[in-house]
Amino acid sequence: MIESPLLEHVQGFINGDWAQAQSGQTLAVINPATGETLSKVPLMGHDETRLAVESAQSALAQPAPIEQRRQWLNQVADLHIEHKKELGRIITLENGKPWKEAQAEAEYAAGFYRYCATHIEKLKTRHLQEQPKNHTWTVHHRPAGVVGLITPWNFPLAMIAKKLSAALAADCPSVIKPAEKTPLSMVALFSLLDQVGLAAGKVNLVMGHADQIGRVLCEHPAVRTISFTGSTRVGRLLIAATAPHVKKLSLELGGNAPFVVFDDADLDRAAEHLIQNKFRGAGQTCVCTNRVYIQRSAAAAFIEKVAARVSGLKVGNGMEDGVDIGPLIDRGAVQRVATLVDDALTQGATRVAGKAWSAADDGCFFPPTVLRGVTDEMPCTREEIFGPVLPVIEFEDEQDAVRRSNGTEYGLAAYVFTADPKRAERVAGMLQFGHVGLNTGAGPTPEAPFGGMKQSGFGREGGTEGLFEFTEPQAIACA
Ligand code: ADP
C-alpha cells in the first residue's frame, strides 16, 4: 500500500469535506510496474455526483474578485512546485512513467495555474470605444456555470491543470472526475487545494462509475460546460448525451501524429527529437508520434540512427534510476500494442529495433520497437498505438507527405523536419493539425492554445484561448 503525507484521506471531496462512497464500495488502484495494490478509492456514482454538482452550484453564489482568483492560482502553482517530488512519486506509482518525467509533469501542471494567474486581467470587463445605438457598451466575461472536468490516466496531474486553472480563473466551480486507473494524484492534489482556502463547493472530486458520473454531468442543468480529455469513443458519447441539454463541450480526443522528415533535414536532430517525443509516457500520449514519414532518399540513414537510439533505451520500474520507459498502464494496453505489432509484421513490416513481447516475461513492460516497411493501411498507422512502437513509412515528395499526414480523421499534433524554412512554413499551413512542431518534437505548453482539428475534438487549453474556455461573454448596452 502507498504511504504519503498527501494521501492522508483517500476519499472524494464534496462541499469542502472529504467524502466516502455512500455504498461503502471501493475500487483498487494498481501499480502497473509491480501489480501491487496501492490503495482503494471510493466507488462513487449518481448520488455523490449530484451532491457535488449541488455544492458547486451553491458556490456559484459566492463570486470571487479577480485579485482573489489570481492569488489562488499562484498558490496552487507554488504548491505543485513545493511538492513536486511527492506528487511525482504518486504519479509514477499509479501511472508507471519514470519519476523524473512525473516531476516534470508536476512542473508542467504548475505552469497552467501560473499562466492563468499572470494573464487573468484579460478577463476584466471591457468598455467598447464605440457607442452604437447611442448607448455605452461593456463586455463581461461571466463564469459559464458549474463545469464538469473529466480526465484520462496518461497525465494524471497535468490534464486537470489545463482545465482547473481556466475554471478557477473564470470563477467556475468544478466537479472533477479522474480516470479509474490514476485517482491518487487527484486525491493528492485535493489535499493541497484544501490548504488554499477556496470556498466550500468551489472544487469537488468524485470517482468511480464513469457512466453514472458522466450521466449526471451531462444531464444536470447546473452543469453548463464539460471539458473532457480521452478517447474519441467517449467524446462521441458525451456529444450525444449533452445534445438534448445544449451544453458547451470542450473535447480533446485521440491523435495520430505524423513526424515528417525531409531528406535535407538534420537527421541526428530529427532522430533525437523523435525519441524524446515518442517515448514520453511509454508512447501513451495523444501528441506523441504515431507514424514516421521519412523521405525515401534519407530512409536508410535515418532508420539506422533511430534504431541505434531506441536500442539504448532502458525499460523498467519508473522509480529506479536511469529508466527511460516505464510499464504501460495495464495488461490490456500491452496486449493491444502487441497485436498491432504482430499485424504489421504479418503484413510485411520488419522489426529493426526491439524484441518480441512475451506475456510471461515482460508483464506490463513493452520493448521499444521500430518497424520499417510499414504502409498507411496497416492498423498501427491508422489507429492510435499508445505504446512505445515507431512505424516508419517512406514518402516521395512534399505533396505526398502532406497528403498522407492529413489522411486521418484526427488532427491533434504533427511534426516536420526540414532545412528549408520556406518549405517548413508552407507545409505547416497545409497540415490540418492543431499543434505543429517545425524542427522540434516539442509538445504543448501552458502559454499556447492546444487542441484538435477534425475528430481530435474542439476547444482549446492553454494560452489566451484556453483562458476564455469557461467564460460566457455578456454584452451590456446602457442607455
Ligand atoms: P482512455 O482510453 O484513455 O482510458 P477513456 O475515454 O476511456 O480514455 O477515459 C477517459 C476518461 O473518461 C476517464 O476518466 C474515464 O473514466 C471517463 N469515462 C469513460 N466512460 C465515460 C462515460 N460514459 N461518461 C463520462 N466519462 C467517461
Side-chain angles (χ1 to χ4, degrees):
M1 294 291 269
I2 188 170
E3 294 283 335
S4 167
L6 301 184
L7 296 175
E8 208 179 304
H9 306 269
V10 180
Q11 294 176 22
F13 195 85
I14 298 176
N15 201 27
D17 273 324
W18 293 98
Q20 288 292 9
Q22 292 179 3
S23 67
Q25 288 182 305
T26 56
L27 184 72
V29 184
I30 309 291
N31 179 341
T34 61
E36 173 205 6
T37 297
L38 292 168
S39 189
K40 291 185 174 167
V41 299
L43 189 67
M44 297 173 153
H46 298 120
D47 295 341
E48 296 84 353
T49 311
R50 235 172 259 125
L51 283 176
V53 171
E54 282 158 18
S55 87
Q57 190 174 14
S58 46
L60 262 179
Q62 299 175 52
I66 275 192
E67 275 315 312
Q68 171 72 78
R69 287 180 252 157
R70 190 201 303 272
Q71 197 188 324
W72 284 335
L73 287 159
N74 275 323
Q75 265 177 284
V76 179
D78 291 343
L79 285 165
H80 275 72
I81 299 302
E82 190 184 328
H83 295 276
K84 75 172 184 188
K85 282 207 157 101
E86 188 57 12
L87 287 167
R89 192 176 73 91
I90 295 168
I91 294 173
T92 296
L93 291 175
E94 66 177 356
N95 163 284
K97 69 179 68 175
W99 192 19
K100 201 166 143 207
E101 214 178 290
Q103 291 179 60
E105 180 180 339
E107 288 173 9
Y108 176 54
F112 286 91
Y113 298 100
R114 192 76 74 203
Y115 179 86
C116 286
T118 309
H119 294 276
I120 197 166
E121 70 279 351
K122 295 199 169 84
L123 300 182
K124 281 185 176 163
T125 302
R126 176 160 55 100
H127 299 266
L128 296 196
Q129 285 179 350
E130 304 83 353
Q131 296 203 332
K133 300 182 192 288
N134 232 1
H135 297 338
T136 57
W137 292 72
T138 48
V139 179
H140 302 255
H141 297 287
R142 306 292 190 200
V146 174
V147 296
L149 311 180
I150 305 176
T151 53
W153 46 259
N154 58 349
F155 288 92
L157 203 58
M159 287 299 183
I160 203 63
K162 294 177 176 210
K163 302 175 193 307
L164 181 59
S165 56
L168 286 173
D171 211 15
C172 289
S174 47
V175 176
I176 294 170
K177 189 225 161 287
E180 292 85 331
K181 304 254 172 224
T182 56
L184 297 175
S185 306
M186 203 69 66
V187 175
L189 173 66
F190 268 75
S191 78
L192 298 176
L193 292 175
D194 201 20
Q195 302 172 20
V196 171
L198 299 168
K202 191 72 101 179
V203 287
N204 300 273
L205 172 64
V206 291
M207 48 203 153
H209 296 289
D211 52 340
Q212 293 188 22
I213 296 170
R215 192 159 332 126
V216 175
L217 294 179
C218 289
E219 293 177 2
H220 198 296
V223 178
R224 295 310 315 152
T225 299
I226 296 179
S227 176
F228 167 82
T229 301
S231 61
T232 305
R233 182 188 70 82
V234 175
R236 287 199 187 100
L237 288 178
L238 295 174
I239 292 171
T242 51
H245 310 280
V246 193
K247 292 193 182 189
K248 193 172 158 211
L249 283 173
S250 197
L251 302 178
E252 204 255 85
L253 309 176
N256 183 355
F259 190 101
V260 180
V261 183
F262 287 94
D263 59 5
D264 62 352
D266 176 340
L267 296 185
D268 284 304
R269 181 184 169 87
E272 208 53 57
H273 278 246
L274 176 60
I275 303 301
Q276 283 164 25
N277 167 283
K278 172 68 198 184
F279 295 104
R280 204 157 56 110
Q284 301 172 109
T285 84
C286 41
V287 294
C288 73
T289 299
N290 207 56
R291 32 190 185 126
V292 179
Y293 289 104
I294 172 75
Q295 196 156 19
R296 197 174 304 283
S297 48
F302 184 64
I303 291 169
E304 195 180 314
K305 289 177 192 296
V306 172
R309 285 170 170 83
V310 169
S311 303
L313 294 172
K314 186 174 168 197
V315 179
N317 185 324
M319 288 309 297
E320 284 168 19
D321 276 349
V323 164
D324 300 301
I325 302 182
L328 300 199
I329 192 69
D330 59 20
R331 283 285 185 134
V334 187
Q335 193 60 63
R336 215 182 47 75
V337 175
T339 305
L340 289 174
V341 171
D342 289 347
D343 284 352
L345 293 173
T346 312
Q347 292 173 37
T350 322
R351 186 175 7 229
V352 290
K355 65 176 186 64
W357 173 75
S358 131
D361 300 342
D362 299 320
C364 284
F365 297 92
F366 196 90
T369 301
V370 181
L371 301 172
R372 73 176 299 179
V374 174
T375 68
D376 287 324
E377 287 67 43
M378 292 180 185
C380 63
T381 36
R382 281 190 286 110
E383 294 174 23
E384 200 172 21
I385 299 172
F386 246 57
V389 175
L390 264 180
V392 184
I393 305 165
E394 296 175 21
F395 72 90
E396 295 300 333
D397 55 20
E398 185 176 314
Q399 210 185 359
D400 187 33
V402 170
R403 181 182 57 78
R404 293 162 79 171
S405 294
N406 285 335
T408 165
E409 71 260 33
Y410 295 113
L412 202 54
Y415 308 90
V416 180
F417 282 71
T418 172
D420 177 351
K422 287 220 169 71
R423 171 153 68 188
E425 206 177 307
R426 194 166 58 233
V427 169
M430 289 187 284
L431 288 173
Q432 299 158 343
F433 293 84
H435 172 92
V436 177
L438 296 178
N439 292 315
T440 174
T445 177
E447 297 78 12
F450 173 72
M453 295 184 183
K454 295 155 74 179
Q455 293 195 29
S456 286
F458 40 78
R460 291 293 182 265
E461 294 177 330
T464 309
E465 291 78 359
L467 187 60
F468 285 88
E469 203 63 18
F470 300 112
T471 59
E472 285 282 17
Q474 181 186 50
I476 299 186
C478 188

